[in-house]
Amino acid sequence: MTPILQKSLPHAPWMKEQTWKMPGIQPLDPATWLHVDEAFAGQMALRDGMIDALQQDFYAQLPEAEEAAQECLDHVLEACAANPAYDVRPRRVVRPDGVKVTVHRSRPLLTIGRLIQEDICLMQPGPDGHILTGAILCFPASWTLSEKIGRPLVRIHKPVREYDDDTARRVQRLFDGIRVGRPMWRANAHLYDTPDLFTPRREDEPHRKIGDNPCYLRSERQTLTRLPKSGAVVFAIHTYVVHIDDLTPDQRTGLETVRRKTEG
């Protein structure tokens, strides 16, 4: 199968301390919430096939997420309508790749999954912090949706080593503080030996090992948006996979510096 790759990385979080240090959160222009890039057609074709299979590995919605899911679909349709690459009508949308998508109100998250490159997770307040109540997650990076659905933030991040008690408190305060109309974003970056987009890992599985000369860099642009009616936070993930050779010279130099510090 031909790898689905972007030819450049518009953000390189390791290049600035404020974006590389956890949680690395920054203000976001609401107009830039969703991205369409050169990998759109390839990623969307893969998403369509996965959604057709309808497996629990990448889709889940608890009953209490219905209002938030419907509101999120409206939010996505508004963003698509603002992009001239989409043709949005009440009951169908033509994507930038020319594929026609029927708007199924009875399946809001699955419809969202066919419209945009971003994976979507719905986080709603609960007694132990924000809880994952629904998601369309076609491109997981080292986690499995079926283990996380219905769990609060702290439990979701098990067993992330960098996610200590202090980080957990800061992230929960961040979710509590997201305001309507004032979204936030952050990004991560990890090296991979393969360009696979679907890379789940169960909690009891060992961390993946990479070779001495990994060829690919995977980065998630993660955004946090508060929905005004339901109050849910939409955690959206745009996945980039680029070949190391397609990074800019400054990005490659900065990445090598970070690797030496980490391995040292």
Side-chain angles (χ1 to χ4, degrees):
M1 180 178 177
T2 302
I4 301 171
L5 303 172
Q6 282 88 354
K7 293 299 294 180
S8 63
L9 188 66
H11 54 265
W14 63 88
M15 298 296 286
K16 296 180 180 180
E17 183 178 0
Q18 62 265 37
T19 56
W20 190 234
K21 185 178 179 181
M22 285 284 287
I25 202 75
Q26 304 290 313
L28 175 71
D29 178 355
T32 66
W33 178 46
L34 303 177
H35 278 183
V36 173
D37 61 39
E38 69 271 25
F40 184 91
Q43 287 194 0
M44 297 310 299
L46 181 58
R47 297 174 72 86
D48 286 340
M50 297 176 73
I51 292 171
D52 285 340
L54 197 60
Q55 298 175 1
Q56 65 176 357
D57 288 342
F58 56 83
Y59 167 69
Q61 183 180 316
L62 301 181
E64 56 265 38
E66 181 61 28
E67 179 187 1
Q70 294 289 345
E71 187 180 8
C72 186
L73 175 57
D74 288 335
H75 200 53
V76 168
L77 288 171
E78 289 176 7
C80 292
N83 185 338
Y86 284 87
D87 179 9
V88 178
R89 305 293 173 89
R91 296 184 180 179
R92 66 100 178 119
V93 175
V94 179
R95 298 187 319 217
D97 59 353
V99 173
K100 183 185 295 184
V101 177
T102 300
V103 177
H104 289 290
R105 285 287 173 181
S106 60
R107 298 185 293 174
L109 290 179
L110 292 173
T111 298
I112 289 171
R114 291 186 184 275
L115 291 174
I116 57 176
Q117 285 177 263
E118 284 78 6
D119 283 324
I120 294 291
C121 298
L122 298 177
M123 307 296 300
Q124 296 180 260
D128 298 315
H130 278 72
I131 296 170
L132 177 62
T133 58
I136 179 71
L137 184 76
C138 295
F139 305 149
S142 296
W143 62 290
T144 301
L145 178 59
S146 60
E147 290 186 321
K148 309 298 186 179
I149 190 69
R151 304 286 193 174
L153 278 169
V154 172
R155 181 60 181 78
I156 288 172
H157 284 87
K158 178 185 178 181
V160 178
R161 288 168 293 188
E162 297 85 355
Y163 202 85
D164 56 20
D165 290 343
D166 179 63
T167 300
R169 286 190 294 269
R170 284 188 290 151
V171 172
Q172 184 56 60
R173 287 197 299 269
L174 170 65
F175 271 76
D176 291 338
I178 295 291
R179 297 289 179 259
V180 174
R182 299 180 65 182
M184 308 292 285
W185 78 282
R186 68 176 299 272
N188 60 23
H190 300 281
L191 293 169
Y192 279 73
D193 290 318
T194 67
D196 300 338
L197 284 160
F198 183 70
T199 58
R201 180 176 67 87
R202 300 192 66 84
E203 293 176 356
D204 58 358
E205 292 178 345
H207 287 274
R208 64 184 176 83
K209 295 181 179 180
I210 63 171
D212 294 333
N213 296 294
C215 294
Y216 301 97
L217 183 133
R218 176 175 177 142
S219 179
E220 294 179 337
R221 177 186 183 263
Q222 304 170 347
T223 64
L224 297 167
T225 304
R226 176 80 67 187
L227 297 176
K229 296 179 182 178
S230 65
V233 173
V234 180
F235 180 61
I237 309 163
H238 189 110
T239 301
Y240 296 85
V241 180
V242 298
H243 196 282
I244 293 294
D245 291 344
D246 287 327
L247 296 175
T248 68
D250 286 346
Q251 288 175 342
R252 290 199 298 271
T253 299
L255 184 61
E256 185 59 33
T257 299
V258 169
R259 288 189 69 188
R260 287 198 300 267
K261 288 181 179 179
T262 303
E263 295 170 358

